[in-house]
Each structure stands twice: as C-alpha cells, then as structure tokens.
Amino acid sequence: MNHKRVHRLYQLEGLQVRMRVRRRKRISLHRGPVPTPVAANQHWSMDFVHDQLANGRRFRILTVIDQWSRESLSLESAFSLTGKEVAEALQRLSCQRTLPRAITVDHGSEFTSKLLDEWAWRNGVQLDFIRPGKPVENGLIESFNGRLRDECLNVTEFASLEHARATLAAWQDDYNHRRPHGSLGHLTPSEFANRGQIKPPSQCPARL
C-alpha cells in the first residue's frame, strides 16, 4: 500500500492528522503586586509604535512614560529594536534619572527576551506583565501612543530615520515642557514632576 492509496482512504473517510500547535511562551506570573506610584521614577510603562518613511520602509518607536508624572521618557526609533536594544535604551535612561521599581509591559518578544529579563533582574526592576489580550491594563501608554500618532506620526511624512528622530525629539520636548495636562492640575509633566521632588545625583553605570 503506497502513500497515494493511504491519502485517498483518508480523504474518503474524512480523516486528518492532528497537527501539533506550537504554543507561544508567555510570562504571565507576577512577582508580587506593584505598588501605586506616589512620586516620579517609581513606575514606568513601555510599548512600541510602528510607522513608515516616505519610501515605505517601516520603523519602530520604543515609547517609555512615567506613570505618575506622565512624562515622555524615551522615544527610541530604529528599523529594528530587539530585547538587547530595549535594555540599552533603558540603561541610557538610567544616566538621566533613577530607574523605577517596576515597568509595565505587554508580552511582546522584545519584552519577554532573556536579555531584558537579565537586565531587569540585575538593576532591581520588576517587569510587570499585563494579562495577554488586556491592553487596558497598560492604558496610560496606550493613551500616550494614540496622542503621539494623532499629533505627530499621522501628520508628518518622514524623509529618513534621522528626520523622524528630530521630529520626535521636538514633539517630546513640547509634550513634556509646554503642554499643560488636566489630569496633572493643568501643569506640564515636567512641572508636575519637579514640584516637591528632590532629584537624586546622576549615576551612569559603565555597562549593562
């Protein structure tokens, strides 16, 4: 009996070989509840936004915000952003401000990578994963990303990645320093963060 006859009999009987579905690994366990932030640099949120250049080439933007002050901390743009590059971006942020106790993220492959998990463990930062399919659990970054897209990405045609980076930096400066927020008592995010806050001395680790 050859394979053709076997295949014909399977079709006649309506049989099929059950394919094994490869399940995607998800980090869904939380390392304890994350306390509500009461000051800047206690709890951040992180996500990705996608856009494209005028020539059609797509690029990504890593967005990081402070949950308490609503400050935009990073708009890192590149054609490819891996877990290693996310860790490097966060390490650069540690040169400017104290790292938070926790960062809320989704289950993207960059955020579940071993390199980012190792960086977080080494720096005492908890990766606070939302439940799969529940973006509302990271609503602050989702709202920020929507505003970034409506006010910057959708109204600008980027000629190059350098053009995109310059435009994002200008938008970020306006967002942080010139735009009052109703949820912050009509203060800008930078004013809200600085009011009553004592900035720690800058510390810049030599490596990841």
Side-chain angles (χ1 to χ4, degrees):
M1 184 181 295
N2 60 26
H3 70 279
K4 294 180 182 179
R5 187 175 182 184
V6 172
H7 181 66
R8 180 169 57 85
L9 292 174
Y10 260 70
Q11 286 184 319
L12 289 174
E13 295 295 331
L15 302 175
Q16 62 179 3
V17 178
R18 185 173 181 179
M19 302 300 292
R20 183 178 178 183
V21 179
R22 189 175 182 181
R23 296 185 177 181
R24 184 180 179 186
K25 291 181 65 177
R26 295 183 184 275
I27 302 175
S28 56
L29 295 177
H30 293 264
R31 300 177 181 133
V34 179
T36 302
V38 295
N41 301 320
Q42 291 185 355
H43 197 155
W44 296 353
S45 285
M46 183 164 58
D47 199 7
F48 282 106
V49 178
H50 299 76
D51 202 35
Q52 64 181 24
L53 304 178
N55 61 9
R57 188 173 182 183
R58 299 184 63 81
F59 67 96
R60 313 180 75 193
I61 305 166
L62 174 69
T63 58
V64 185
I65 66 168
D66 187 293
Q67 289 193 8
W68 185 76
S69 68
R70 307 295 198 273
E71 286 178 283
S72 171
L73 307 180
S74 178
L75 292 176
E76 187 88 10
S77 56
F79 293 119
S80 175
L81 286 167
T82 63
K84 177 184 178 182
E85 287 156 341
V86 171
E88 290 173 348
L90 294 173
Q91 189 70 14
R92 286 192 291 273
L93 271 178
S94 72
C95 298
Q96 305 168 16
R97 57 180 65 228
T98 304
L99 289 172
R101 301 172 186 171
I103 304 176
T104 299
V105 294
D106 60 24
H107 287 267
S109 58
E110 301 84 4
F111 301 146
T112 58
S113 69
K114 291 182 179 180
L115 284 172
L116 183 60
D117 185 66
E118 182 182 350
W119 175 90
W121 176 81
R122 193 184 306 124
N123 288 277
V125 177
Q126 175 182 339
L127 295 178
D128 177 39
F129 290 94
I130 65 174
R131 290 176 294 173
K134 299 288 185 180
V136 68
E137 294 183 357
N138 205 4
L140 291 177
I141 195 75
E142 294 291 339
S143 176
F144 174 84
N145 289 346
R147 180 172 295 181
L148 171 64
R149 183 165 296 283
D150 291 341
E151 299 178 0
C152 181
L153 303 182
N154 287 349
V155 299
T156 309
E157 186 175 33
F158 301 113
S160 63
L161 188 60
E162 290 70 24
H163 178 210
R165 287 170 175 166
T167 304
L168 288 167
W171 184 88
Q172 182 183 37
D173 181 71
D174 179 72
Y175 175 87
N176 282 337
H177 302 288
R178 298 178 182 84
R179 187 182 308 178
H181 286 242
S183 61
L184 303 179
H186 298 286
L187 298 174
T188 66
S190 60
E191 288 173 339
F192 188 81
N194 292 330
R195 179 164 292 190
Q197 300 298 310
I198 301 175
K199 290 187 176 181
S202 175
Q203 297 179 351
C204 184
R207 58 183 180 86
L208 290 177

